[in-house]
Each structure stands twice: as C-alpha cells, then as structure tokens.
Amino acid sequence: MNHCENTRPCPCTYSCPRHGKCCECVAHHRDHGEGVPGCFFSPEGEASYDRSVEALARDHGLIP
C-alpha cells in the first residue's frame, strides 16, 4: 500500500508510522495476525490494551 487517503484522529496510544492512517493500520494488523487495531476502540477501551473481538464488543456495549 503506497498511499492512504483515509486519515482521521486516532485514539490509539501506540506511536507508529501508521498512526491515524486507518487503511494502513487495519492492513498491517490483518497481515500480521494481530488483534483488533486500537483505533476501533473508544479512548477508554483502547487504554485496556485488550485487542480481542470480545473486548471490542464490550467497549461498544454489545455484550456486558
């Protein structure tokens, strides 16, 4: 991926070259078999550093 037009403020606290570049970040996490990127979480959910799908569902109020 050479260029990412999809940029926005990002709640992720990890400093990396993809910070705020959503398409690059998602592709990186997918390609490396990592959990859900921090940008999918609220600032409070991101602070837990739990990147599981279950944590994402809790963060969005889908499960208790």
Side-chain angles (χ1 to χ4, degrees):
M1 183 173 294
N2 294 332
H3 185 66
C4 182
E5 294 291 337
N6 184 9
T7 60
R8 61 185 302 174
C10 182
C12 184
T13 56
Y14 188 75
S15 178
C16 74
R18 292 167 297 281
H19 190 83
K21 298 175 184 173
C22 301
C23 52
E24 288 182 20
C25 178
V26 170
H28 173 81
H29 281 270
R30 181 194 62 222
D31 292 347
H32 291 89
E34 298 175 351
V36 179
C39 56
F40 281 69
F41 293 85
S42 68
E44 297 79 17
E46 193 278 334
S48 77
Y49 297 107
D50 182 348
R51 299 289 189 263
S52 67
V53 173
E54 183 177 342
L56 179 66
R58 270 195 314 275
D59 186 46
H60 287 274
L62 301 174
I63 60 174

